C-alpha cells in the first residue's frame, strides 16, 4: 500500500520514537559533528539495526526516492562515509544500481581520490545519508562527486533537522535539491501525543527548535552559520 509524504513522515517518526533512536539531553547538550550544540541527537544506526524498523525505513525511502526522482532519474547511488553507507548500500541493492562511498578526506590522488568504488563519468548520482543538520557536509560530498565526474542533483536523507538556513543555501549553491523521510515537524506531534518526554524536556526542545542559533551559542556551540 502506497503512503503519501505526510504519512511516511509520521511513520518514520513513530519508528524513531519506538526504537529509542531520538535522544534528548538538554542538561548535557550534544555537540554535533556540524559544530552545533543541541539538546537532541538522532541515533539512526540504532533504528537500522532492528529488522522491522529497517524494512519500514527502506520501504519509505524507496517510495520517496521514486516519487522525487522517478524510475529513470539516476544511474548510481553514493553514500557519505559518516552514516550513509548502510542505508546507501541497501538502497543501491534495491534499485540494482552501482554503489560508491564518498570520503570527507581524500584517500588517494586525482579527481576521484574521495571516491571508493567504480563510478562511471557522467553518472547521475543519488547521494544518500542518514541525517543532515545544516547541509554543509552534504554539499562538500556532492562537490567531491562532481570533481570525479558525477552529476549530483538530488540528495536523500532519512532525517533532516529542517531548522538551519544553511541547508538551503549550500545545497542550492551546487544545484542540488535535498529531501528526507522526516523532520522535527513529524516527530513533535507524535512525541507529544504519546507523552514520550516529560513536559519540561519537550518545552526545552521546542525552545531549541524555535531559535537553534541562540540555543547553540548559549550552550558552547556555533552561534550562527559560518
Amino acid at each position: 500500500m502506497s503512503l503519501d509524504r505526510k504519512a511516511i513522515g509520521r511513520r518514520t517518526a513513530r519508528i524513531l520514537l519506538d526504537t529509542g533512536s531520538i535522544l534528548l539531553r538538554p542538561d548535557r547538550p550534544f555537540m554535533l559533528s556540524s559544530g552545533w550544540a543541541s539538546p537532541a541527537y538522532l541515533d539512526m544506526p540504532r533504528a537500522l539495526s532492528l529488522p522491522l524498523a529497517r524494512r519500514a525505513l527502506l520501504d519509505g525511502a524507496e517510495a520517496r526516492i521514486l516519487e522525487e526522482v522517478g524510475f529513470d532519474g539516476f544511474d548510481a547511488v553514493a553514500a557519505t562515509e559518516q552514516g550513509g553507507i548502510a542505508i546507501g548500500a541497501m538502497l543501491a541493492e534495491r534499485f540494482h544500481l552501482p554503489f560508491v562511498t564518498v570520503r570527507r578526506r581524500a584517500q588517494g590522488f586525482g579527481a576521484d581520490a574521495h571516491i571508493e568504488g567504480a563510478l562511471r563519468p557522467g553518472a547521475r548520482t543519488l547521494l544518500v545519508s542518514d541525517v543532515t543538520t545544516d547541509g554543509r557536509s552534504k554539499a562538500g560530498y556532492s562537490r567531491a562527486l562532481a570533481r570525479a565526474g558525477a552529476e549530483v542533483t538530488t540528495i536523500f536523507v532519512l532525517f533532516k533537522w529542517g531548522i538551519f538556513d544553511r541547508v538551503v543555501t549550500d545545497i542550492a549553491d551546487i544545484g542540488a535539491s535535498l529531501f528526507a523521510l522526516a523532520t522535527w515537524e513529524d516527530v513533535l506531534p507524535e512525541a507529544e501525543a504519546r507523552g514520550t518526554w516529560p513536559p519540561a524536556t519537550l518545552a526545552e526542545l521546542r525552545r531549541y527548535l524555535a531559535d537553534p542559533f541562540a540555543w547553540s551559542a548559549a550552550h558552547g556551540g556555533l552561534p550562527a552559520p559560518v
Side-chain angles (χ1 to χ4, degrees), residues 3 17 30 35 38 42 53 79 99 104 126 154 160 165 173 214 217 221:
L3 296 173
L17 293 170
F30 298 95
S38 168
L42 273 292
F99 171 73
R104 185 185 298 271
L126 174 73
T154 309
K160 180 177 73 171
D165 290 339
D173 286 348

Side-chain angles (χ1 to χ4, degrees), residues 108 118 162 216:
S216 178

Side-chain angles (χ1 to χ4, degrees), residues 12-13 17 26 37-38 61 63-64 95 109 117 153 163-165 177 186-187 191 207 214:
T12 301
L17 293 170
S38 168
R64 288 287 285 115
F95 293 132
F109 302 95
T153 59
I163 56 175
F164 297 104
D165 290 339
S177 61
D186 301 298
V187 170
R207 281 191 286 273

Side-chain angles (χ1 to χ4, degrees), residues 104-117:
R104 185 185 298 271
R105 294 180 177 82
Q107 301 294 306
F109 302 95
D112 61 349
H114 291 265
I115 311 300
E116 291 191 354

